[in-house]
């Protein structure tokens, strides 16, 4: 089943979210672009067009989560710093 046309940012987020779900449940070694395409109803070419390679997609996931963590750490709660660290790494 093919998806209707989406803007690249929406498609990118959908692919990254699905990839993260797949990796967190089965590990990075069990992840493939073909399985991602099947899960998201796209073609592998769609993911390759956006990320260039499997490694590019994994780097994008890490980059997004790094930005999330940095943002959380940059906004301390004013309470216990250890709680802030735990909050920062919570997914």
């Amino acid at each position: 089943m093919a998806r209707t046309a989406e803007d690249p940012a929406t498609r990118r987020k959908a692919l990254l979210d699905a990839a993260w779900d797949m990796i967190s449940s089965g590990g990075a070694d069990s992840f493939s672009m073909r399985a991602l395409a099947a899960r998201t109803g796209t073609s592998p070419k769609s993911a390759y067009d956006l990320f260039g390679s499997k490694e590019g997609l994994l780097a994008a996931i890490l980059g997004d989560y790094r930005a999330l963590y940095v943002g959380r750490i940059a906004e301390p709660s004013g309470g216990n710093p250890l709680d802030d660290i735990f909050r920062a790494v919570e997914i």
Side-chain angles (χ1 to χ4, degrees), residues 29 60 73:
D29 291 337
I73 290 170

Side-chain angles (χ1 to χ4, degrees), residues 3 6 8-22 31 33 36-51 57 61:
R3 286 184 165 202
E6 296 174 311
T10 301
R11 186 170 55 247
R12 180 184 186 279
K13 181 173 178 359
L15 289 167
L16 289 175
D17 288 348
W20 176 252
D21 288 344
M22 293 170 69
F31 171 78
M33 297 294 256
L36 176 63
R39 181 174 177 145
T40 57
T42 62
S43 70
K45 183 181 180 319
S46 180
Y48 284 111
D49 286 347
L50 285 168
F51 303 104
L57 186 141
I61 291 171

Side-chain angles (χ1 to χ4, degrees), residues 64-81:
D64 283 1
Y65 279 98
R66 180 186 176 279
L68 176 67
Y69 297 145
V70 168
R72 288 178 178 173
I73 290 170
E75 298 176 8
S77 68
N80 183 337

